[in-house]
Amino acid sequence: MAKSSAKKVRDKAVREGTRNPECNRSPFVFSDMRTRKTKTKKDQLYRNKYKNRHSDESRIDGSFYVLFY
């Protein structure tokens, strides 16, 4: 592949002894700064994991028994 003109200028500057402009870049250049809009498959499964944990087969109609003294 051919070099871009900006890359040629950077290489020439490094050969002449000046600082490489690539060293001035922030460390955040290599990090992924995008925000995720939708949940991943694992997040979806974890969200539904404990959804119906307290329902029993005997209480299908939703009734329960309370004893008062």
Side-chain angles (χ1 to χ4, degrees):
M1 258 173 96
K3 286 185 181 180
S4 67
S5 59
K7 177 80 172 176
K8 289 178 187 175
V9 170
R10 286 195 302 267
D11 289 342
K12 183 180 178 187
V14 170
R15 279 196 313 270
E16 292 175 351
T18 59
R19 182 174 167 84
N20 188 356
E22 291 178 351
C23 297
N24 296 334
R25 290 183 183 163
S26 171
F28 295 105
V29 170
F30 303 107
S31 64
D32 186 16
M33 302 297 280
R34 294 176 292 183
T35 57
R36 302 291 189 255
K37 299 295 182 188
T38 59
K39 292 191 177 292
T40 61
K41 183 177 180 181
K42 192 169 188 177
D43 291 336
Q44 285 285 69
L45 290 173
Y46 185 74
R47 193 177 92 181
N48 294 331
K49 187 174 182 180
Y50 301 108
K51 193 168 191 175
N52 295 320
R53 187 174 178 97
H54 299 293
S55 64
D56 294 330
E57 295 297 324
S58 62
R59 293 185 287 152
I60 295 174
D61 60 348
S63 62
F64 56 92
Y65 179 75
V66 178
L67 180 64
F68 290 106
Y69 288 111

